[in-house]
Amino acid sequence: MKTLRLIQGDITIQKVDAIVNAANTSLLGGGGVDGAIHRKGGSQILEDCQKIRARQGGCAVGQAVITSAGTLPSRFVIHTVGPTWHDGQDDENELLKNAYLNSLKLAEKHQLATVAFPNISTGVYHFPKHQAAKIAIKAVIEYMQDAESLAEINFVCFDLENFKIYRQQLAEVDQNQFQVLGI
Ligand code: ADP
């Protein structure tokens, strides 16, 4: 059975195959989780991002790219770009779903087993947290049903508000279908 795990804390210390970065379209780093990943992972991650920029000019909203993880304990960093919240009038739901799905697709393409997600778009991009959690969990559940290499997804909540929201929503996941840990 596949596993969903809730973790409260810092995604940069997770020992998984890939951690996901809530990046921006430039791929050049920023604040929040993006800043923490580049700061703790060292210059290799930015060098890899710059190579991707040279090839394809950054990363569009809802898309994802993969780099090494530098000195972080994970093997890879998957950089995805979530939408900025504009009152729900700008395809934000669909774009957030795409950010999760495209990250998972990239993980499968690289035959990874464990991936950790932060709460994409719920920081400076101001996506409403309940709604973002619902979209994230639904996208992951749907994708994991047919996934081959992926065995475990970790939802890493940095702030207590997101942690409580995820605890509540993950408690409703069918435990005959997924092993749900950390709730
Ligand atoms: P976005 O621009 O997508 O909103 P942010 O980095 O501002 O990205 O916020 C996304 C989420 O990442 C927020 O819920 C924030 O609390 C969380 N976050 C910030 N730092 C970390 C970290 N070190 N590990 C995990 N999550 C983090």
Side-chain angles (χ1 to χ4, degrees):
M1 200 187 304
K2 288 161 183 159
T3 299
L4 304 180
R5 187 191 299 270
L6 175 63
I7 293 169
Q8 188 182 8
D10 183 350
I11 202 163
T12 62
I13 64 169
Q14 305 302 318
K15 293 187 188 75
V16 286
D17 289 331
I19 62 169
V20 176
N21 181 17
N24 57 52
T25 55
S26 78
L27 296 175
L28 292 177
V33 68
D34 195 7
I37 287 171
H38 281 283
R39 205 163 48 241
K40 294 189 184 171
S43 58
Q44 186 62 52
I45 301 175
L46 187 58
E47 281 171 31
D48 288 359
C49 284
Q50 271 157 344
K51 282 181 200 146
I52 294 167
R53 273 171 64 85
R55 214 163 54 225
Q56 64 176 57
C59 182
V61 178
Q63 300 300 307
V65 299
I66 191 165
T67 68
S68 73
T71 55
L72 297 175
S74 61
R75 293 170 55 208
F76 299 96
V77 176
I78 293 173
H79 306 260
T80 189
V81 185
T84 307
W85 180 256
H86 293 297
D87 291 323
Q89 304 301 304
D90 244 355
D91 259 351
E92 292 95 322
N93 293 335
E94 191 69 15
L95 291 166
L96 185 61
K97 178 180 165 187
N98 289 346
Y100 280 90
L101 291 180
N102 285 319
S103 298
L104 292 165
K105 276 184 198 161
L106 208 45
E108 278 270 292
K109 192 174 157 196
H110 287 77
Q111 303 210 303
L112 308 185
T114 52
V115 173
F117 280 98
N119 307 131
I120 300 167
S121 286
T122 68
V124 296
Y125 284 0
H126 292 300
F127 205 105
K129 291 180 179 177
H130 275 97
Q131 196 171 329
K134 210 167 153 186
I135 291 166
I137 293 169
K138 186 161 184 263
V140 165
I141 284 180
E142 280 175 17
Y143 192 86
M144 287 299 275
Q145 273 157 357
D146 298 320
E148 285 171 9
S149 66
L150 284 169
E152 176 172 326
I153 303 300
N154 297 348
F155 295 102
V156 182
C157 300
F158 194 65
D159 59 279
L160 185 61
E161 194 186 355
N162 263 314
F163 178 73
K164 286 180 178 166
I165 291 168
Y166 271 78
R167 195 167 54 189
Q168 206 169 37
Q169 294 191 18
L170 285 170
E172 289 167 18
V173 171
D174 182 358
Q175 305 234 4
N176 293 314
Q177 215 181 354
F178 288 93
Q179 181 178 39
V180 185
L181 302 177
I183 57 171

